Amino acid sequence: MPFVLLAVAIAFEVTATLAMRASEGFTRAWPSVIVVIGYLVSFVLLARALLSLNVGPVYAIWSALGTVGAFAGGVLLFKEQVRPLTIAGAVIIVVGVVVMNLGGGVRQG
């Protein structure tokens, strides 16, 4: 269950980040509301997941997948450019998270 909470937290974080872009500097009401609600829900779910998971690997997963998700969303929704160096950076982020999790993401004891 903690990994389901984490996955949903990531989805809300990515949604909030993309809504922030759509809010045009918080000048558009509905995207701005989505930002606030999205981050609030994301942090609450992340906190719940951390009751049984280790903070380092979990935060790495949350931030890395949020970064990659925001990158993909920016490309799909806002037609942002895809550059080879950006893709390489996303791959490095994911590899780093995998390496961190080899040490164990589930709390012991």
Side-chain angles (χ1 to χ4, degrees):
M1 187 64 168
F3 287 106
V4 172
L5 294 173
L6 178 60
V8 176
I10 292 166
F12 272 93
E13 191 267 337
V14 170
T15 300
T17 300
L18 295 171
M20 189 180 309
R21 168 74 155 73
S23 78
E24 297 178 10
F26 292 105
T27 60
R28 296 181 60 218
W30 284 113
S32 299
V33 168
I34 292 169
V35 171
V36 172
I37 292 170
Y39 280 122
L40 178 65
V41 171
S42 180
F43 282 119
V44 168
L45 294 174
L46 180 62
R48 298 293 298 170
L50 288 172
L51 291 173
S52 57
L53 301 173
N54 290 328
V55 69
V58 167
Y59 187 74
I61 293 168
W62 182 79
S63 60
L65 293 182
T67 299
V68 172
F71 166 65
V75 170
L76 295 172
L77 297 174
F78 303 112
K79 309 299 183 224
E80 295 176 355
Q81 291 185 353
V82 178
R83 296 184 176 98
L85 199 54
T86 310
I87 293 171
V91 169
I92 290 168
I93 289 169
V94 171
V95 169
V97 169
V98 169
V99 170
M100 278 192 75
N101 278 282
L102 290 176
V106 179
R107 223 187 254 187
Q108 302 297 317

Coordinates of all heavy atoms in Angstrom, one line a residue:
M1 N 0.8 -1.2 0.0 CA 0.0 0.0 0.0 C 0.9 1.3 0.0 O 0.5 2.2 -0.7 CB -1.0 0.0 1.2 CG -1.9 1.1 1.2 SD -3.0 1.0 -0.2 CE -4.3 2.1 0.2
P2 N 2.0 1.3 0.7 CA 2.8 2.6 0.7 C 3.2 3.0 -0.7 O 3.3 4.1 -1.0 CB 4.0 2.3 1.6 CG 3.8 1.0 2.2 CD 2.6 0.3 1.6
F3 N 3.5 1.9 -1.6 CA 4.0 2.3 -2.9 C 2.8 2.8 -3.8 O 3.0 3.6 -4.7 CB 4.7 1.1 -3.6 CG 6.0 0.8 -3.0 CD1 6.2 -0.2 -2.1 CD2 7.1 1.6 -3.3 CE1 7.5 -0.5 -1.5 CE2 8.3 1.4 -2.7 CZ 8.5 0.4 -1.9
V4 N 1.6 2.4 -3.5 CA 0.4 2.9 -4.2 C 0.3 4.4 -3.8 O 0.0 5.3 -4.6 CB -0.8 2.1 -3.9 CG1 -2.1 2.8 -4.4 CG2 -0.7 0.7 -4.4
L5 N 0.4 4.7 -2.5 CA 0.3 6.1 -2.0 C 1.4 6.9 -2.7 O 1.1 8.0 -3.1 CB 0.5 6.1 -0.5 CG -0.6 5.5 0.3 CD1 -0.2 5.5 1.8 CD2 -1.9 6.2 0.1
L6 N 2.6 6.4 -2.8 CA 3.7 7.1 -3.4 C 3.4 7.3 -4.9 O 3.6 8.5 -5.4 CB 5.0 6.3 -3.3 CG 6.2 6.9 -4.0 CD1 6.5 8.3 -3.4 CD2 7.4 5.9 -3.8
A7 N 2.9 6.4 -5.6 CA 2.5 6.5 -7.0 C 1.5 7.6 -7.2 O 1.6 8.5 -8.1 CB 2.0 5.2 -7.6
V8 N 0.5 7.6 -6.4 CA -0.6 8.6 -6.5 C 0.0 10.0 -6.1 O -0.4 11.0 -6.7 CB -1.8 8.2 -5.6 CG1 -2.9 9.3 -5.6 CG2 -2.4 6.9 -6.1
A9 N 0.9 10.0 -5.1 CA 1.5 11.3 -4.7 C 2.3 11.9 -5.9 O 2.3 13.1 -6.2 CB 2.4 11.1 -3.5
I10 N 3.0 11.0 -6.6 CA 3.8 11.5 -7.8 C 2.8 12.0 -8.9 O 3.1 13.0 -9.5 CB 4.6 10.3 -8.3 CG1 5.7 10.0 -7.3 CG2 5.2 10.7 -9.7 CD1 6.4 8.6 -7.6
A11 N 1.7 11.3 -9.1 CA 0.7 11.8 -10.1 C 0.2 13.2 -9.8 O 0.1 14.0 -10.6 CB -0.4 10.8 -10.2
F12 N -0.1 13.4 -8.5 CA -0.6 14.7 -8.1 C 0.5 15.8 -8.2 O 0.2 16.9 -8.5 CB -1.2 14.6 -6.6 CG -2.6 14.3 -6.6 CD1 -3.0 12.9 -6.5 CD2 -3.6 15.2 -6.7 CE1 -4.3 12.6 -6.4 CE2 -5.0 14.9 -6.7 CZ -5.3 13.5 -6.5
E13 N 1.7 15.4 -7.9 CA 2.8 16.3 -8.0 C 3.1 16.8 -9.4 O 3.3 17.9 -9.7 CB 4.1 15.7 -7.4 CG 5.2 16.7 -7.2 CD 6.2 16.8 -8.4 OE1 6.2 15.8 -9.1 OE2 6.9 17.8 -8.5
V14 N 3.1 15.8 -10.3 CA 3.2 16.1 -11.7 C 2.1 17.0 -12.2 O 2.3 18.0 -12.9 CB 3.4 14.8 -12.6 CG1 3.3 15.1 -14.1 CG2 4.7 14.1 -12.2
T15 N 0.9 16.6 -11.9 CA -0.3 17.4 -12.3 C -0.2 18.9 -11.8 O -0.4 19.8 -12.5 CB -1.6 16.8 -11.7 OG1 -1.7 15.5 -12.3 CG2 -2.8 17.6 -12.1
A16 N 0.2 19.0 -10.5 CA 0.4 20.4 -9.9 C 1.4 21.2 -10.6 O 1.3 22.3 -10.9 CB 0.7 20.2 -8.4
T17 N 2.5 20.5 -11.0 CA 3.6 21.2 -11.6 C 3.2 21.6 -13.0 O 3.5 22.8 -13.4 CB 4.9 20.3 -11.7 OG1 5.3 19.9 -10.4 CG2 6.0 21.0 -12.4
L18 N 2.5 20.8 -13.8 CA 2.0 21.2 -15.1 C 1.0 22.2 -15.0 O 0.9 23.1 -15.9 CB 1.5 19.9 -15.8 CG 2.6 18.9 -16.2 CD1 2.0 17.6 -16.7 CD2 3.6 19.4 -17.1
A19 N 0.1 22.2 -14.0 CA -0.9 23.2 -13.8 C -0.2 24.6 -13.5 O -0.7 25.6 -13.8 CB -1.8 22.9 -12.7
M20 N 1.0 24.5 -12.8 CA 1.7 25.8 -12.5 C 2.1 26.4 -13.8 O 2.0 27.7 -13.9 CB 2.9 25.5 -11.6 CG 3.6 26.7 -11.1 SD 5.0 26.5 -10.0 CE 4.4 25.3 -8.9
R21 N 2.6 25.6 -14.7 CA 3.0 26.2 -16.0 C 1.7 26.8 -16.7 O 1.8 27.9 -17.3 CB 3.6 25.1 -16.9 CG 3.8 25.4 -18.3 CD 4.9 26.3 -18.6 NE 5.5 26.2 -19.9 CZ 4.9 26.6 -21.0 NH1 3.7 27.2 -21.0 NH2 5.6 26.5 -22.2
A22 N 0.6 26.1 -16.6 CA -0.6 26.6 -17.2 C -1.2 27.8 -16.5 O -2.0 28.5 -17.1 CB -1.7 25.4 -17.3
S23 N -0.9 28.0 -15.3 CA -1.4 29.1 -14.5 C -0.9 30.5 -15.0 O -1.5 31.5 -14.5 CB -1.1 28.9 -13.0 OG 0.2 29.3 -12.7
E24 N 0.1 30.4 -15.8 CA 0.7 31.7 -16.3 C 1.0 32.7 -15.2 O 0.5 33.8 -15.1 CB -0.2 32.3 -17.4 CG -0.4 31.4 -18.6 CD -1.4 32.0 -19.6 OE1 -1.8 33.2 -19.5 OE2 -1.7 31.2 -20.5
G25 N 1.9 32.2 -14.3 CA 2.3 33.0 -13.1 C 1.2 33.2 -12.1 O 1.1 34.3 -11.5
F26 N 0.3 32.3 -11.9 CA -0.8 32.4 -11.0 C -1.8 33.5 -11.4 O -2.5 34.0 -10.6 CB -0.4 32.5 -9.6 CG 0.3 31.3 -9.0 CD1 1.7 31.2 -8.9 CD2 -0.4 30.1 -8.7 CE1 2.3 30.1 -8.4 CE2 0.2 29.0 -8.3 CZ 1.6 29.0 -8.1
T27 N -1.9 33.8 -12.7 CA -2.9 34.8 -13.2 C -4.1 34.1 -13.7 O -5.1 34.8 -13.9 CB -2.3 35.6 -14.3 OG1 -1.9 34.8 -15.4 CG2 -1.0 36.4 -13.8
R28 N -4.1 32.8 -13.8 CA -5.3 32.0 -14.2 C -5.8 31.2 -13.0 O -5.1 30.5 -12.4 CB -5.0 31.1 -15.4 CG -4.6 31.9 -16.6 CD -4.3 31.1 -17.8 NE -5.5 30.3 -18.2 CZ -5.4 29.0 -18.7 NH1 -4.3 28.4 -18.8 NH2 -6.5 28.4 -19.0
A29 N -7.1 31.4 -12.7 CA -7.7 30.9 -11.4 C -7.6 29.3 -11.4 O -7.1 28.8 -10.4 CB -9.1 31.4 -11.2
W30 N -8.2 28.7 -12.3 CA -8.4 27.2 -12.2 C -7.1 26.5 -12.2 O -6.9 25.6 -11.3 CB -9.4 26.6 -13.2 CG -10.8 26.9 -12.9 CD1 -11.6 27.8 -13.6 CD2 -11.5 26.5 -11.7 NE1 -12.8 27.9 -12.9 CE2 -12.8 27.1 -11.8 CE3 -11.2 25.7 -10.7 CZ2 -13.7 26.8 -10.8 CZ3 -12.1 25.4 -9.7 CH2 -13.4 26.0 -9.8
P31 N -6.1 26.8 -13.1 CA -4.8 26.1 -12.9 C -4.2 26.4 -11.6 O -3.5 25.5 -11.0 CB -4.0 26.7 -14.1 CG -5.0 27.1 -15.1 CD -6.2 27.6 -14.3
S32 N -4.4 27.6 -11.1 CA -3.8 28.0 -9.8 C -4.4 27.1 -8.6 O -3.7 26.7 -7.7 CB -4.0 29.5 -9.5 OG -3.3 30.2 -10.5
V33 N -5.7 26.9 -8.7 CA -6.3 26.1 -7.7 C -5.8 24.6 -7.8 O -5.5 24.0 -6.8 CB -7.9 26.1 -7.9 CG1 -8.6 25.0 -7.1 CG2 -8.4 27.5 -7.6
I34 N -5.6 24.1 -9.0 CA -5.1 22.8 -9.2 C -3.7 22.7 -8.6 O -3.3 21.7 -8.0 CB -5.1 22.4 -10.7 CG1 -6.6 22.2 -11.1 CG2 -4.4 21.1 -10.9 CD1 -6.7 22.1 -12.7
V35 N -2.9 23.7 -8.8 CA -1.5 23.7 -8.2 C -1.6 23.5 -6.7 O -0.9 22.6 -6.1 CB -0.8 25.0 -8.5 CG1 0.5 25.1 -7.7 CG2 -0.5 25.2 -10.0
V36 N -2.4 24.3 -6.0 CA -2.5 24.3 -4.5 C -3.0 22.9 -4.1 O -2.4 22.3 -3.2 CB -3.3 25.4 -4.0 CG1 -3.6 25.3 -2.5 CG2 -2.7 26.8 -4.3
I37 N -4.1 22.5 -4.7 CA -4.7 21.2 -4.3 C -3.8 20.0 -4.6 O -3.6 19.1 -3.8 CB -6.1 21.0 -4.9 CG1 -7.1 22.0 -4.3 CG2 -6.6 19.6 -4.7 CD1 -8.4 22.1 -5.1
G38 N -3.2 20.1 -5.8 CA -2.3 19.0 -6.2 C -1.1 18.8 -5.3 O -0.7 17.7 -4.9
Y39 N -0.4 19.9 -4.9 CA 0.7 19.8 -4.0 C 0.3 19.4 -2.6 O 1.0 18.6 -2.0 CB 1.5 21.1 -4.0 CG 2.5 21.3 -5.2 CD1 2.4 22.4 -6.0 CD2 3.4 20.3 -5.5 CE1 3.2 22.5 -7.1 CE2 4.3 20.5 -6.5 CZ 4.2 21.6 -7.4 OH 5.0 21.7 -8.4
L40 N -0.8 19.9 -2.2 CA -1.3 19.5 -0.8 C -1.6 18.0 -0.8 O -1.1 17.3 0.1 CB -2.6 20.3 -0.5 CG -3.2 20.0 0.9 CD1 -2.3 20.3 2.0 CD2 -4.5 20.7 1.0
V41 N -2.3 17.5 -1.7 CA -2.6 16.1 -1.8 C -1.3 15.3 -1.9 O -1.1 14.3 -1.2 CB -3.6 15.7 -2.9 CG1 -3.7 14.2 -3.0 CG2 -4.9 16.3 -2.6
S42 N -0.4 15.7 -2.8 CA 0.9 15.0 -3.0 C 1.7 14.9 -1.7 O 2.2 13.8 -1.4 CB 1.7 15.7 -4.1 OG 2.9 15.1 -4.3
F43 N 1.8 16.0 -1.0 CA 2.6 16.0 0.3 C 1.9 15.1 1.4 O 2.6 14.4 2.1 CB 2.8 17.4 0.8 CG 3.9 18.1 0.1 CD1 3.6 19.3 -0.6 CD2 5.2 17.6 0.1 CE1 4.7 20.0 -1.3 CE2 6.2 18.3 -0.6 CZ 6.0 19.5 -1.3
V44 N 0.6 15.2 1.4 CA -0.1 14.3 2.4 C 0.1 12.8 2.1 O 0.5 12.0 3.0 CB -1.6 14.7 2.5 CG1 -2.4 13.6 3.3 CG2 -1.8 16.0 3.1
L45 N 0.0 12.5 0.8 CA 0.2 11.1 0.5 C 1.7 10.7 0.6 O 2.0 9.5 1.1 CB -0.3 10.8 -1.0 CG -1.8 11.0 -1.2 CD1 -2.1 10.9 -2.7 CD2 -2.6 10.0 -0.4
L46 N 2.6 11.5 0.3 CA 4.0 11.3 0.5 C 4.3 11.0 2.0 O 5.0 10.1 2.4 CB 4.9 12.4 0.0 CG 6.4 12.2 0.1 CD1 6.9 11.0 -0.7 CD2 7.1 13.5 -0.4
A47 N 3.7 11.9 2.8 CA 3.9 11.7 4.3 C 3.4 10.4 4.8 O 4.0 9.7 5.6 CB 3.2 12.9 5.0
R48 N 2.2 10.0 4.2 CA 1.6 8.7 4.6 C 2.5 7.5 4.2 O 2.7 6.5 4.9 CB 0.2 8.5 4.0 CG -0.8 9.6 4.5 CD -1.1 9.4 6.0 NE -1.7 8.1 6.2 CZ -2.0 7.6 7.4 NH1 -1.7 8.3 8.5 NH2 -2.5 6.5 7.5
A49 N 3.1 7.6 3.0 CA 4.0 6.6 2.5 C 5.2 6.5 3.3 O 5.7 5.4 3.6 CB 4.3 6.8 1.0
L50 N 5.7 7.6 3.9 CA 6.9 7.6 4.7 C 6.7 7.0 6.1 O 7.7 6.8 6.8 CB 7.4 9.0 4.8 CG 8.1 9.6 3.5 CD1 8.4 11.1 3.7 CD2 9.3 8.8 3.1
L51 N 5.5 6.6 6.4 CA 5.3 5.9 7.7 C 5.9 4.6 7.6 O 6.3 4.0 8.7 CB 3.8 5.8 8.0 CG 3.1 7.2 8.3 CD1 1.6 6.9 8.4 CD2 3.7 7.8 9.6
S52 N 6.0 4.0 6.4 CA 6.6 2.6 6.4 C 7.8 2.5 5.4 O 8.3 1.4 5.2 CB 5.5 1.6 6.0 OG 4.9 2.0 4.8
L53 N 8.1 3.6 4.7 CA 9.2 3.5 3.8 C 10.3 4.5 4.2 O 10.1 5.5 4.9 CB 8.7 3.9 2.4 CG 7.6 3.0 1.8 CD1 7.1 3.6 0.5 CD2 8.1 1.6 1.6
N54 N 11.6 4.2 3.8 CA 12.7 5.1 4.1 C 12.7 6.4 3.3 O 12.4 6.4 2.1 CB 14.0 4.4 3.9 CG 14.2 3.2 4.9 OD1 13.8 3.3 6.0 ND2 14.9 2.2 4.4
V55 N 13.0 7.5 4.0 CA 12.8 8.8 3.4 C 13.8 9.0 2.2 O 13.4 9.6 1.2 CB 13.0 9.9 4.4 CG1 14.4 10.0 4.9 CG2 12.5 11.2 3.9
G56 N 15.0 8.6 2.2 CA 16.0 8.8 1.2 C 15.5 8.2 -0.2 O 15.4 9.0 -1.2
P57 N 15.4 6.9 -0.2 CA 15.0 6.3 -1.5 C 13.6 6.8 -2.0 O 13.4 7.0 -3.2 CB 15.0 4.8 -1.2 CG 15.9 4.7 0.0 CD 15.7 5.9 0.8
V58 N 12.6 7.0 -1.0 CA 11.3 7.4 -1.4 C 11.3 8.8 -2.0 O 10.7 9.1 -3.0 CB 10.3 7.3 -0.2 CG1 9.0 8.0 -0.5 CG2 10.1 5.8 0.1
Y59 N 12.0 9.7 -1.3 CA 12.1 11.1 -1.9 C 12.8 11.1 -3.2 O 12.4 11.8 -4.1 CB 12.8 12.0 -0.9 CG 12.7 13.4 -1.3 CD1 11.6 14.2 -1.2 CD2 13.8 14.1 -1.9 CE1 11.5 15.5 -1.7 CE2 13.8 15.4 -2.4 CZ 12.6 16.1 -2.3 OH 12.5 17.3 -2.7
A60 N 13.8 10.2 -3.4 CA 14.5 10.1 -4.7 C 13.5 9.7 -5.8 O 13.4 10.2 -6.9 CB 15.6 9.1 -4.6
I61 N 12.6 8.7 -5.5 CA 11.6 8.2 -6.4 C 10.6 9.3 -6.7 O 10.3 9.6 -7.9 CB 10.9 7.0 -5.9 CG1 11.8 5.8 -5.8 CG2 9.7 6.6 -6.7 CD1 11.3 4.6 -5.0
W62 N 10.1 10.0 -5.7 CA 9.1 11.0 -5.8 C 9.7 12.2 -6.7 O 9.0 12.6 -7.6 CB 8.7 11.5 -4.4 CG 7.6 12.5 -4.4 CD1 6.3 12.3 -4.6 CD2 7.8 13.9 -4.2 NE1 5.6 13.5 -4.5 CE2 6.5 14.5 -4.2 CE3 8.9 14.8 -4.0 CZ2 6.3 15.9 -4.1 CZ3 8.7 16.1 -3.8 CH2 7.4 16.7 -3.9
S63 N 10.8 12.6 -6.3 CA 11.4 13.8 -7.1 C 11.8 13.4 -8.5 O 11.6 14.1 -9.4 CB 12.5 14.4 -6.3 OG 13.6 13.5 -6.1
A64 N 12.4 12.2 -8.6 CA 12.9 11.8 -10.0 C 11.7 11.6 -10.9 O 11.7 12.1 -12.1 CB 13.8 10.6 -9.9
L65 N 10.7 10.8 -10.5 CA 9.6 10.5 -11.4 C 8.8 11.8 -11.6 O 8.2 11.9 -12.7 CB 8.8 9.4 -10.8 CG 9.5 8.0 -10.8 CD1 8.6 6.9 -10.3 CD2 10.0 7.7 -12.2
G66 N 8.7 12.6 -10.6 CA 8.1 13.9 -10.8 C 8.8 14.8 -11.8 O 8.2 15.4 -12.7
T67 N 10.1 14.8 -11.8 CA 10.9 15.5 -12.8 C 10.7 14.9 -14.2 O 10.4 15.7 -15.1 CB 12.4 15.4 -12.4 OG1 12.6 16.0 -11.1 CG2 13.3 16.1 -13.5
V68 N 10.8 13.6 -14.3 CA 10.6 13.0 -15.6 C 9.2 13.2 -16.1 O 8.9 13.4 -17.3 CB 11.0 11.5 -15.6 CG1 10.7 10.8 -16.9 CG2 12.5 11.4 -15.3
G69 N 8.2 13.0 -15.2 CA 6.8 13.3 -15.6 C 6.5 14.7 -16.0 O 5.8 14.9 -17.0
A70 N 7.1 15.7 -15.3 CA 6.9 17.0 -15.7 C 7.6 17.3 -17.1 O 7.1 18.0 -17.9 CB 7.5 18.0 -14.7
F71 N 8.7 16.7 -17.3 CA 9.4 16.8 -18.6 C 8.5 16.3 -19.7 O 8.3 17.0 -20.7 CB 10.8 16.1 -18.5 CG 11.4 15.9 -19.9 CD1 11.8 17.0 -20.6 CD2 11.6 14.6 -20.4 CE1 12.4 16.8 -21.9 CE2 12.2 14.4 -21.6 CZ 12.6 15.5 -22.4
A72 N 8.0 15.1 -19.5 CA 7.2 14.5 -20.5 C 5.9 15.3 -20.7 O 5.4 15.5 -21.9 CB 6.8 13.0 -20.1
G73 N 5.3 15.7 -19.6 CA 4.1 16.5 -19.7 C 4.3 17.8 -20.4 O 3.5 18.3 -21.2
G74 N 5.5 18.4 -20.2 CA 5.8 19.7 -20.9 C 5.9 19.5 -22.4 O 5.5 20.3 -23.2
V75 N 6.5 18.4 -22.7 CA 6.7 18.1 -24.2 C 5.3 17.8 -24.8 O 5.0 18.4 -25.9 CB 7.6 16.8 -24.4 CG1 7.5 16.4 -25.8 CG2 9.0 17.2 -23.9
L76 N 4.5 17.0 -24.1 CA 3.2 16.6 -24.7 C 2.1 17.8 -24.7 O 1.4 18.0 -25.6 CB 2.6 15.4 -24.0 CG 3.4 14.1 -24.1 CD1 2.8 13.1 -23.2 CD2 3.4 13.7 -25.6
L77 N 2.1 18.5 -23.6 CA 1.0 19.5 -23.4 C 1.4 20.9 -23.9 O 0.6 21.7 -24.4 CB 0.6 19.6 -21.9 CG 0.0 18.4 -21.3 CD1 -0.2 18.6 -19.8 CD2 -1.3 18.0 -22.0
F78 N 2.7 21.2 -23.7 CA 3.2 22.6 -24.0 C 4.1 22.7 -25.2 O 4.7 23.7 -25.5 CB 3.8 23.2 -22.8 CG 2.8 23.3 -21.6 CD1 3.1 22.5 -20.5 CD2 1.7 24.0 -21.6 CE1 2.2 22.5 -19.4 CE2 0.8 24.0 -20.6 CZ 1.1 23.3 -19.4
K79 N 4.3 21.5 -25.9 CA 5.2 21.4 -27.0 C 6.6 21.9 -26.8 O 7.2 22.6 -27.6 CB 4.6 22.2 -28.2 CG 3.2 21.9 -28.6 CD 3.0 20.5 -28.9 CE 1.5 20.2 -29.3 NZ 1.0 19.0 -28.8
E80 N 7.1 21.7 -25.5 CA 8.5 22.0 -25.2 C 9.4 21.1 -26.0 O 9.1 20.0 -26.3 CB 8.7 21.9 -23.7 CG 7.8 22.9 -22.9 CD 7.9 22.8 -21.4 OE1 8.6 21.8 -20.9 OE2 7.3 23.6 -20.7
Q81 N 10.6 21.7 -26.3 CA 11.6 20.9 -27.1 C 12.2 19.8 -26.4 O 12.4 19.9 -25.1 CB 12.7 21.9 -27.6 CG 12.2 22.9 -28.6 CD 13.4 23.7 -29.1 OE1 14.5 23.6 -28.6 NE2 13.1 24.6 -30.1
V82 N 12.5 18.7 -27.1 CA 13.2 17.6 -26.6 C 14.6 17.6 -27.2 O 14.8 17.7 -28.4 CB 12.5 16.2 -27.0 CG1 13.3 15.1 -26.5 CG2 11.1 16.2 -26.5
R83 N 15.6 17.7 -26.3 CA 17.0 17.7 -26.7 C 17.7 16.4 -26.2 O 17.3 15.9 -25.2 CB 17.7 18.9 -26.2 CG 17.1 20.2 -26.7 CD 17.9 21.4 -26.2 NE 17.3 22.6 -26.8 CZ 16.5 23.5 -26.1 NH1 16.1 23.2 -24.9 NH2 16.1 24.6 -26.7
P84 N 18.6 15.9 -27.0 CA 19.3 14.7 -26.5 C 20.0 14.8 -25.1 O 19.9 13.9 -24.4 CB 20.4 14.5 -27.6 CG 19.9 15.2 -28.8 CD 19.1 16.4 -28.3
L85 N 20.5 16.0 -24.8 CA 21.1 16.2 -23.5 C 20.0 16.1 -22.4 O 20.3 15.6 -21.3 CB 21.9 17.5 -23.4 CG 22.9 17.6 -22.3 CD1 23.9 16.5 -22.4 CD2 23.6 19.0 -22.5
T86 N 18.8 16.6 -22.7 CA 17.8 16.5 -21.7 C 17.3 15.1 -21.5 O 17.1 14.7 -20.3 CB 16.6 17.4 -22.2 OG1 17.0 18.7 -22.5 CG2 15.5 17.5 -21.1
I87 N 17.2 14.3 -22.5 CA 16.9 12.9 -22.4 C 18.0 12.2 -21.6 O 17.7 11.4 -20.7 CB 16.7 12.3 -23.8 CG1 15.4 12.9 -24.4 CG2 16.6 10.8 -23.7 CD1 15.3 12.5 -25.9
A88 N 19.2 12.5 -21.9 CA 20.3 11.9 -21.2 C 20.2 12.2 -19.7 O 20.4 11.3 -18.8 CB 21.7 12.3 -21.7
G89 N 19.9 13.4 -19.3 CA 19.7 13.8 -17.9 C 18.6 13.0 -17.3 O 18.7 12.6 -16.1
A90 N 17.5 12.8 -18.0 CA 16.3 12.1 -17.4 C 16.8 10.6 -17.2 O 16.4 10.1 -16.1 CB 15.1 12.1 -18.4
V91 N 17.5 10.1 -18.1 CA 18.0 8.7 -17.9 C 18.9 8.6 -16.7 O 18.8 7.7 -15.9 CB 18.7 8.2 -19.2 CG1 19.4 6.9 -18.9 CG2 17.7 8.0 -20.3
I92 N 19.8 9.6 -16.5 CA 20.7 9.6 -15.4 C 19.9 9.7 -14.1 O 20.3 9.0 -13.1 CB 21.7 10.7 -15.5 CG1 22.7 10.4 -16.7 CG2 22.5 11.0 -14.2 CD1 23.6 11.6 -17.1
I93 N 18.9 10.5 -14.1 CA 18.1 10.6 -12.9 C 17.5 9.3 -12.5 O 17.5 8.8 -11.3 CB 17.0 11.7 -13.0 CG1 17.6 13.1 -13.1 CG2 15.9 11.6 -12.0 CD1 16.6 14.2 -13.5
V94 N 16.9 8.6 -13.5 CA 16.2 7.3 -13.2 C 17.3 6.3 -12.8 O 17.0 5.5 -11.8 CB 15.5 6.8 -14.5 CG1 15.0 5.4 -14.3 CG2 14.3 7.8 -14.8
V95 N 18.4 6.2 -13.4 CA 19.5 5.3 -13.0 C 19.9 5.6 -11.6 O 20.1 4.7 -10.7 CB 20.7 5.3 -14.0 CG1 21.9 4.6 -13.4 CG2 20.3 4.8 -15.3
G96 N 20.0 6.8 -11.2 CA 20.4 7.2 -9.8 C 19.4 6.7 -8.8 O 19.8 6.2 -7.7
V97 N 18.1 6.8 -9.1 CA 17.1 6.3 -8.2 C 17.2 4.8 -8.1 O 17.0 4.3 -7.0 CB 15.7 6.7 -8.7 CG1 14.6 6.0 -8.0 CG2 15.5 8.2 -8.6
V98 N 17.4 4.1 -9.2 CA 17.5 2.6 -9.1 C 18.7 2.3 -8.2 O 18.6 1.4 -7.3 CB 17.7 2.0 -10.5 CG1 18.1 0.6 -10.4 CG2 16.4 2.2 -11.3
V99 N 19.8 3.0 -8.4 CA 21.0 2.7 -7.5 C 20.7 3.0 -6.1 O 21.0 2.2 -5.2 CB 22.2 3.5 -8.0 CG1 23.4 3.4 -7.0 CG2 22.7 3.0 -9.4
M100 N 20.0 4.1 -5.8 CA 19.7 4.4 -4.4 C 18.8 3.3 -3.8 O 19.0 2.9 -2.6 CB 19.0 5.7 -4.3 CG 19.9 6.9 -4.2 SD 19.0 8.4 -3.8 CE 18.8 8.1 -2.0
N101 N 17.9 2.8 -4.6 CA 16.9 1.8 -4.0 C 17.6 0.4 -3.9 O 17.0 -0.5 -3.2 CB 15.7 1.7 -4.9 CG 14.7 2.8 -4.5 OD1 14.1 2.7 -3.5 ND2 14.7 3.9 -5.2
L102 N 18.7 0.2 -4.5 CA 19.4 -1.1 -4.3 C 19.8 -1.3 -2.8 O 19.9 -2.4 -2.3 CB 20.6 -1.2 -5.2 CG 20.3 -1.3 -6.7 CD1 21.6 -1.3 -7.5 CD2 19.6 -2.6 -6.9
G103 N 19.9 -0.1 -2.1 CA 20.2 -0.1 -0.7 C 19.0 -0.4 0.2 O 19.1 -0.6 1.4
G104 N 17.8 -0.4 -0.4 CA 16.6 -0.8 0.3 C 15.8 0.5 0.6 O 16.2 1.4 1.2
G105 N 14.5 0.4 0.2 CA 13.6 1.5 0.4 C 12.6 1.3 1.5 O 11.9 2.2 1.9
V106 N 12.5 0.0 1.9 CA 11.5 -0.3 3.0 C 12.1 -0.3 4.3 O 13.2 -0.8 4.5 CB 10.9 -1.7 2.7 CG1 9.9 -2.0 3.8 CG2 10.2 -1.7 1.3
R107 N 11.5 0.4 5.2 CA 12.0 0.6 6.6 C 12.1 -0.8 7.3 O 11.2 -1.6 7.2 CB 11.0 1.4 7.4 CG 11.7 2.5 8.2 CD 10.6 3.2 9.0 NE 10.4 4.5 8.5 CZ 9.6 5.4 9.1 NH1 9.0 5.1 10.2 NH2 9.5 6.6 8.6
Q108 N 13.2 -0.9 8.0 CA 13.4 -2.1 8.8 C 13.1 -1.8 10.3 O 13.5 -0.9 10.8 CB 14.9 -2.6 8.7 CG 15.3 -2.8 7.3 CD 14.6 -4.0 6.6 OE1 14.3 -5.0 7.2 NE2 14.2 -3.8 5.4
G109 N 12.3 -2.7 10.9 CA 12.0 -2.6 12.3 C 10.9 -1.6 12.6 O 10.4 -1.2 13.4

